[in-house]
Amino acid sequence: MNKKTLVNGMLLVLALLLVVGMAYQFTPAIGNLMGSGGSSSKSGTPALKVNGSTITVEELDAMKRGNPILSSTDGGVLEDDFKTYMVAQQVQQKLLVEAASDVKVSRDDVNAEITKIREANDLTDNQKYQDALQQAGISDAELREQVKQQLAVQRKVEALKAAVPAATEAEAKFYYDQNQELFQNDARIVGRWIVVKDAKKAAELLKQARSGADFAQLASANSEQNKDRGGALGPIENGKPKPVTAVTLPTEVANAAFALEQGGLTDVVTTGGKSYIVKVEEYLAPTTKPFAEARADAVKAVDEQKKNQATEEWFDKLRDGAKVEVVDPAWKTEDPVVATVAGKNILYSEIISQVVNNQQVAGLLQQVPAEQASGLVNGMLKPGLVTQTINAYATPVLVKRLNLAITGTRQEQVAALSAYGARNVQVTDADIEAYYQQNKAQFETAASATIAEASFKTQAAAEAFRSSWNGQGDFVQAASKAGGTVSERGEVTGGGETLSAELNAAAFDQPGRNVGAGTLSPVTKSGERFSVLYVTDLKPKTTEPLSAVRSEIRAQVLASKQAEAGQKFIDTQVATLKPVNNLQKILDAQAKRVAAAAPKKPAATEEKDGAAGTATPDGSTDAPAAEGGEAAPPAQE
C-alpha cells in the first residue's frame, strides 16, 4: 500500500472526527470538545466518571498522543497544566454526549455519514479503509459510535437554536448603530479611462492629458475600450458617466484610481498586457445604508448571536451541574477557581484551554525547553488571559446593568460593549497628519536600479578605472580589462541585503543623479576592497502624498483609538464589580506541588547537578552555592 495514501487516509479519518463538531462552533470551548480525540469504547481502564459515565485511561492517552502540544512535555508545570486540560475536555465531551442521549440517530444516518467520509477521503476500498482505521487506532464500530454521538449533539444544538426567539427591533437597531462599518455601500468614482497596448503611447497620452488636452477626446481617438462614450467608465446618463465601484476595474487600476479621493489623473498603470490611464472626475466616499435597507442583515446577525448565547448558557449549566468522580488516582487533577467576578467562578482549566489552543505556544514549545516555556507562559500569557476571561464573564452583567440591547456569547458581548464604550471616538485632521509624519516609512516605495559592481584591490586602481571609463562601451569588459572583479547584481532594491550598507549609500544616496541614466558611483570601500558601481534604470525612492493615503490612515487611527477607548471603558466598568484574581496563588501552589511530586534524584546526581544549577518548576534556575558560602537566591522573574 502506498505509504503517502496510508498516512493521508489516517489523518483524514482522524480529521473526520471533527466534522460534526465543526457544525456547532458557537463558542471556541465547545467547538474543540468533540474533536479532542479518544475512543467511545466502553472497554478500557476507568480513570474518571462523569455523572456515572466512564472516561478511560485509553481515551486520555489517545487524546495526548493526538495533540502535538499535549505530547510535547514530560513532567513539570506544563505537563500538570495539560493533564488538567485533558481531564476537563474529556469531562465536557461526556457532558455533551450525555445531554444529547435523548436524540435519536438512526443506523441509516450513521451509515450515510460514514459513506461520505470514505468517499471524500478515497477510502471506498475496504482494505484501505481498514488500514486507515488501524493506523488511527480506532475500530469501525468505535468510529460509528463517535459519529452517532456527534450527530446527536449537532441535532441537540440545532433544536436549542431553533427555539431561540428572533431578534427584536431594538436589538437589531442597536447592532446596526454599533456596527456601521458593516452596512456601508462601496466607494465609487465617476471617471473615464484610456486603454492601449503600447506603454510608450500611454505615456505620451498621459503627458497630453496633463498638459490640458480634453481627456474624453483623447479617449475617443485612442482608447481600445469605451471609446464610443469618451472612455466613460460607466454608462452615460444625463450627459455624465454613472459611478462605478472598484470591482469593475482591474485590481491595479482600481487601486490607483480609488486613491485619488480629490480627483485627478493616475499614472500609467500596466497590467495584463495593457496600459491604463484613469481620470477621476468625482470620488464618492462609502456611505452607510439606512437602517431600513440594512435591517434584514442586522436581524440575521443578531439572530445568530442569540442562538450562540443560548447554546453557551446551556453548556454552562451542563458543566456547572457535573458530578466528577476520580477512579484512578493517577488522573486526579487540580482545577481551582482562578478568578471570581459578579458571582461567577472561573476555573483554571478555562485559562489552560486558551493556552493549549494558542498557536504561539505551539511554536514556543518547538524552540525552547518546556521548563523555559512554562516560565514565559506563566509570566506573560496567563495573566493576560485571566484578565480577558474576567472581562468576558463580567460583560453580561454589565450589559444588563447598563440596559443595553447586546446579545451573543460572552466574547461577542465583550466586542459589542467595547464598541459601545468607543461610540463617541472621533479622528481629527491633526490625528491623521501626526500618524502620517510618524509612519512615513509605511508609505514609501524603496529606490531600485540595475547595478554592476567592479571591485579592485586598491583605491588607486579603482580611482584610475573610474576616471578612465567614459561610459562608452561595455562596463563589464572595461572593468575586467582594468583588473577589476565584476559582479552583475541585476535589479537591486535600495536598503536591501544585496549590497553592503556602504554600497547601498553609494548607489542610491548620491544627490543630482540622473534618473534612468547610467552613472558611476564614487569609489567606495567595502570590506578590504574598493568598488565602483555602474547604476542604470534608477528609480528613486517615492513617498505617497498624504492626500493619497488619508482614508487609509483615518481607518487605522480610528480603529486604534476605538480599541483603546473601548478597552478603557470595559476595564473601568469591570473594576466596579471588584473581581478577585487568584492566578498567582494557584501558580505558587502548583510549583510547590509539582516539585514535591518530582522523582528524587540519587544524592550523587543531585550534587553533580548542583554545581551547574537546577531548573525550578517555574522555569527559573537555582544558582549553585558559592564556595564556602550559602546558595545564592533563585533568580527572580
Side-chain angles (χ1 to χ4, degrees):
M1 182 178 181
N2 182 282
K3 183 177 181 181
K4 182 177 180 180
T5 301
L6 174 62
V7 173
N8 286 343
M10 175 188 72
L11 295 177
L12 291 170
V13 169
L14 286 174
L16 156 58
L17 302 182
L18 287 168
V19 171
V20 180
M22 290 177 66
Y24 39 88
Q25 291 273 352
F26 41 82
T27 174
I30 299 179
N32 290 331
L33 290 179
M34 299 306 292
S36 56
S39 165
S40 62
S41 173
K42 293 181 173 59
S43 62
T45 307
L48 306 136
K49 287 189 176 181
V50 184
N51 296 343
S53 179
T54 300
I55 296 174
T56 67
V57 172
E58 288 77 11
E59 286 177 310
L60 290 160
D61 287 342
M63 182 180 180
K64 182 175 182 178
R65 290 194 308 271
N67 187 309
I69 293 182
L70 301 179
S71 59
S72 64
T73 60
D74 185 15
V77 171
L78 285 182
E79 170 74 10
D80 187 71
D81 277 350
F82 295 165
K83 185 176 177 181
T84 298
Y85 167 80
M86 287 188 290
V87 168
Q89 291 289 294
Q90 287 290 335
V91 166
Q92 292 172 14
Q93 181 169 330
K94 292 295 182 184
L95 291 174
L96 285 172
V97 172
E98 178 186 35
S101 60
D102 61 334
V103 177
K104 302 300 181 183
V105 177
S106 70
R107 180 179 298 179
D108 289 342
D109 292 335
V110 175
N111 288 341
E113 288 298 320
I114 295 294
T115 299
K116 288 178 185 177
I117 292 164
R118 295 181 63 174
E119 290 177 350
N121 299 305
D122 190 26
L123 295 173
T124 54
D125 178 80
N126 286 334
Q127 188 59 52
K128 289 173 67 175
Y129 175 60
Q130 292 299 328
D131 288 344
L133 289 175
Q134 184 177 1
Q135 288 294 317
I138 188 172
S139 69
D140 175 70
E142 289 170 339
L143 176 59
R144 289 175 183 275
E145 180 63 19
Q146 287 201 4
V147 168
K148 180 180 179 180
Q149 292 174 351
Q150 293 177 10
L151 282 172
V153 173
Q154 178 184 352
R155 292 175 183 179
K156 185 74 171 183
V157 171
E158 289 172 349
L160 285 167
K161 289 184 174 183
V164 175
T168 66
E169 191 77 2
E171 290 168 341
K173 183 62 165 60
F174 187 89
Y175 183 88
Y176 166 82
D177 289 340
Q178 299 305 124
N179 296 277
Q180 296 274 300
E181 71 282 357
L182 300 180
F183 303 103
Q184 289 192 333
N185 294 306
D186 293 333
R188 297 171 299 159
I189 58 172
V190 175
R192 302 173 185 271
W193 67 1
I194 297 173
V195 185
V196 295
K197 292 180 180 178
D198 189 340
K200 290 184 177 179
K201 181 178 180 180
E204 177 57 34
L205 291 169
L206 176 60
K207 183 177 180 181
Q208 293 179 44
R210 285 177 171 168
S211 298
D214 186 283
F215 194 89
Q217 291 182 8
L218 288 176
S220 294
N222 298 279
S223 182
E224 297 178 7
Q225 295 185 32
N226 303 358
K227 64 187 303 178
D228 58 333
R229 59 191 192 206
L233 296 174
I236 301 296
E237 188 174 88
N238 298 324
K240 184 179 179 180
K242 291 187 67 175
V244 297
T245 59
V247 296
T248 62
L249 309 177
T251 302
E252 295 83 355
V253 179
N255 290 342
F258 277 78
L260 299 176
E261 295 183 13
Q262 306 303 316
L265 290 164
T266 67
D267 290 328
V268 174
V269 179
T270 300
T271 180
K274 295 182 180 180
S275 294
Y276 301 78
I277 308 166
V278 179
K279 181 179 182 181
V280 177
E281 298 175 355
E282 184 180 5
Y283 175 85
L284 303 173
T287 57
T288 303
K289 299 176 184 177
F291 178 64
E293 186 178 334
R295 184 183 181 283
D297 289 336
V299 166
K300 182 179 179 181
V302 175
D303 280 346
E304 190 60 31
Q305 287 188 343
K306 293 183 74 171
K307 291 174 182 178
N308 292 345
Q309 181 177 348
T311 313
E312 184 178 70
E313 291 172 351
W314 167 72
F315 180 73
D316 285 347
K317 291 178 181 178
L318 293 180
R319 186 176 55 187
D320 293 343
K323 181 181 178 181
V324 180
E325 176 188 352
V326 178
V327 179
D328 184 348
W331 282 99
K332 184 179 186 302
T333 58
E334 300 288 337
D335 193 7
V337 173
V338 72
T340 302
V341 61
K344 296 287 187 179
N345 290 332
I346 302 169
L347 296 178
Y348 183 52
S349 57
E350 286 198 53
I351 307 304
I352 302 172
S353 176
Q354 295 175 68
V355 171
V356 172
N357 291 293
N358 187 302
Q359 293 301 315
Q360 292 181 335
V361 173
L364 180 66
L365 288 170
Q366 294 177 352
Q367 299 175 39
V368 301
E371 294 82 1
Q372 185 178 346
S374 69
L376 295 171
V377 169
N378 285 353
M380 299 177 66
L381 181 58
K382 286 181 183 176
L385 292 176
V386 172
T387 298
Q388 292 173 19
T389 309
I390 288 174
N391 290 347
Y393 271 80
T395 295
V397 177
L398 297 173
V399 165
K400 290 181 180 179
R401 188 171 75 180
L402 295 169
N403 195 28
L404 300 175
I406 289 175
T407 62
T409 63
R410 287 185 284 267
Q411 290 299 334
E412 288 172 337
Q413 291 190 47
V414 167
L417 188 61
S418 176
Y420 174 79
R423 65 194 181 282
N424 295 322
V425 168
Q426 300 291 329
V427 176
T428 65
D429 289 342
D431 292 332
I432 295 173
E433 175 70 29
Y435 184 94
Y436 179 74
Q437 295 299 333
Q438 294 166 12
N439 299 275
K440 266 195 173 179
Q442 179 180 329
F443 308 106
E444 291 178 351
T445 300
S448 65
T450 301
I451 294 176
E453 176 189 1
S455 169
F456 298 86
K457 290 183 178 180
T458 66
Q459 183 173 359
E463 294 285 5
F465 166 71
R466 189 180 188 284
S467 298
S468 64
W469 193 63
N470 59 7
Q472 302 298 317
D474 186 279
F475 174 81
V476 173
Q477 291 182 359
S480 298
K481 187 175 181 181
T485 300
V486 180
S487 299
E488 295 188 70
R489 302 287 190 175
E491 186 173 345
V492 176
T493 299
E497 298 180 357
T498 303
L499 302 176
S500 66
E502 297 82 6
L503 294 180
N504 256 303
F508 297 106
D509 296 345
Q510 300 303 310
R513 175 162 290 159
N514 293 326
V515 176
T519 56
L520 294 178
S521 74
V523 172
T524 304
K525 186 177 182 181
S526 181
E528 298 301 318
R529 296 178 68 86
F530 297 85
S531 296
V532 177
L533 304 179
Y534 183 50
V535 182
T536 57
D537 301 320
L538 176 64
K539 297 175 183 176
K541 179 174 68 175
T542 59
T543 302
E544 290 185 273
L546 177 58
S547 60
V549 295
R550 178 176 291 275
S551 61
E552 175 186 340
I553 292 176
R554 185 185 184 284
Q556 292 185 39
V557 173
L558 179 61
S560 177
K561 292 182 72 173
Q562 286 177 330
E564 182 179 352
Q567 188 60 58
K568 183 177 180 180
F569 177 78
I570 288 178
D571 290 342
T572 301
Q573 293 292 322
V574 171
T576 66
L577 299 176
K578 299 181 180 180
V580 177
N581 187 332
N582 302 317
L583 177 63
Q584 193 55 55
K585 292 179 181 178
I586 290 173
L587 295 181
D588 292 343
Q590 182 188 44
K592 292 179 182 178
R593 184 177 69 254
V594 170
K600 301 298 181 183
K601 296 182 179 180
T605 303
E606 289 182 352
E607 182 177 349
K608 181 179 179 181
D609 287 348
T614 57
T616 61
D618 65 357
S620 60
T621 302
D622 288 332
E627 186 175 351
E630 296 181 352
Q636 299 296 314
E637 290 188 6

